[in-house]
Amino acid sequence: MRKLILFGVMALMGLTMQAQNIQLHYDFGRSIYSEQLGGPQDDNVSRRAKVTLTLEQFKADNLGSWFYFVDVDFSSKFVEGAYAEISREFNLGKQSPFAAHIEYNGGLNRFGSFQQAALAGFAYNGHSEDFSKTWSVQLMYKQYFKSYEYTRSYPGVQLTGVWGINFANNKCRFDGFIDFWRGENWRAGHEGHGMLVILTEPQFWYNFTNHFSVGTEVEISNNFIYNVVDDKSFFINPTLAVKWNF
């Protein structure tokens, strides 16, 4: 649930600035796809969390910007896991929209760990004159590491788009990201073969104050959620959320 803060584009201003928020999401995907994701009878075997707590922070400096987020997933009885991404961008010229981008993704869950990955590439960042609209496009080499049994190290490529739009006198915000990357095919008979994974998480927020917002996120994915029941690979998982901006 990440990549949704002010993005590296604000580093273009050459100013030191930062933003941080915390989000709490109630996930409806557990009910919509109960049979594919573990079944409604036994909460212990459900493979999708009920609630996700997200912490995001962005900080720009004279060289570029830092960004990280941490997702902590909760079921009714467990902390299911914690997943994090941290990235650093270095501006390629004082007025240039291009930046070098490096990133690390990974985390732990109650069964072990998520597969870790490192990324490196370039970003193209932009914004409107008043910063009410921001965008970023990133093309990166992605290296997966053998993180637990049944995984292996392999290379890939990831294309990421990030956007943010403030409107209605800044009372409303529409933001999100979309990722395309090469992943491993987990289907029987295709193990080890590459496949295209798509993940996007658009968010809409209504800002009651400068600090407090209520909104929703819709996770749309293909080949992202591991499905042990059938070959279904496309999922739409909405949430109801609150956000506090520090």
Side-chain angles (χ1 to χ4, degrees), residues 8 12 48 51 61 76 100 111 128 132 152 184 210 224 245:
L12 298 172
R48 189 163 190 90
V51 174
D61 54 41
S76 60
F111 301 106
S128 62
S132 63
R152 68 184 186 90
E184 291 273 72
N210 290 334
F224 176 66
N245 296 295

Side-chain angles (χ1 to χ4, degrees), residues 90-235:
F90 297 94
N91 296 332
L92 300 178
K94 204 166 188 180
Q95 302 298 325
S96 173
F98 293 97
H101 183 105
I102 56 175
E103 184 175 326
Y104 191 82
N105 304 339
L108 300 172
N109 59 48
R110 65 187 177 94
F111 301 106
S113 69
F114 296 98
Q115 189 165 12
Q116 320 293 303
L119 301 88
F122 296 93
Y124 178 86
N125 301 315
H127 60 85
S128 62
E129 186 175 351
D130 62 356
F131 280 83
S132 63
K133 301 178 181 66
T134 61
W135 58 87
S136 177
V137 179
Q138 303 154 14
L139 181 61
M140 297 167 287
Y141 171 82
K142 188 173 189 176
Q143 178 64 48
Y144 280 99
F145 303 106
K146 181 177 174 60
S147 303
Y148 54 91
E149 194 175 1
Y150 309 120
T151 64
R152 68 184 186 90
S153 176
Y154 68 94
V157 176
Q158 180 167 309
L159 176 66
T160 293
V162 188
W163 71 89
I165 303 171
N166 293 327
F167 58 98
N169 293 321
N170 291 324
K171 295 300 291 184
C172 297
R173 179 169 176 82
F174 176 60
D175 56 24
F177 73 88
I178 185 168
D179 288 335
F180 304 87
W181 74 88
R182 177 192 177 274
E184 291 273 72
N185 199 327
W186 45 262
R187 293 179 177 85
H190 299 276
E191 298 90 339
H193 293 264
M195 65 178 181
L196 176 65
V197 183
I198 302 173
L199 174 65
T200 182
E201 294 183 358
Q203 294 185 346
F204 173 80
W205 298 99
Y206 182 80
N207 303 314
F208 285 93
T209 71
N210 290 334
H211 295 287
F212 180 70
S213 305
V214 174
T216 182
E217 175 183 277
V218 182
E219 180 190 274
I220 304 170
S221 67
N222 192 52
N223 292 326
F224 176 66
I225 297 176
Y226 181 74
N227 179 10
V228 298
V229 177
D230 54 31
D231 286 333
K232 182 177 176 61
S233 62
F234 180 79
F235 292 90

Side-chain angles (χ1 to χ4, degrees), residues 23-78:
Q23 304 171 21
L24 189 66
H25 292 258
Y26 182 85
D27 195 306
F28 294 97
R30 182 189 186 93
S31 302
I32 297 172
Y33 303 107
S34 59
E35 292 185 3
Q36 287 89 353
L37 300 175
Q41 293 82 14
D42 186 355
D43 185 66
N44 293 335
V45 300
S46 175
R47 286 176 168 79
R48 189 163 190 90
K50 282 186 174 181
V51 174
T52 296
L53 181 71
T54 298
L55 176 67
E56 295 181 323
Q57 184 173 29
F58 168 89
K59 184 176 182 180
D61 54 41
N62 291 332
L63 297 178
S65 61
W66 287 97
F67 172 76
Y68 77 85
F69 77 84
V70 179
D71 281 347
V72 182
D73 296 324
F74 301 89
S75 66
S76 60
K77 298 182 180 179
F78 299 101

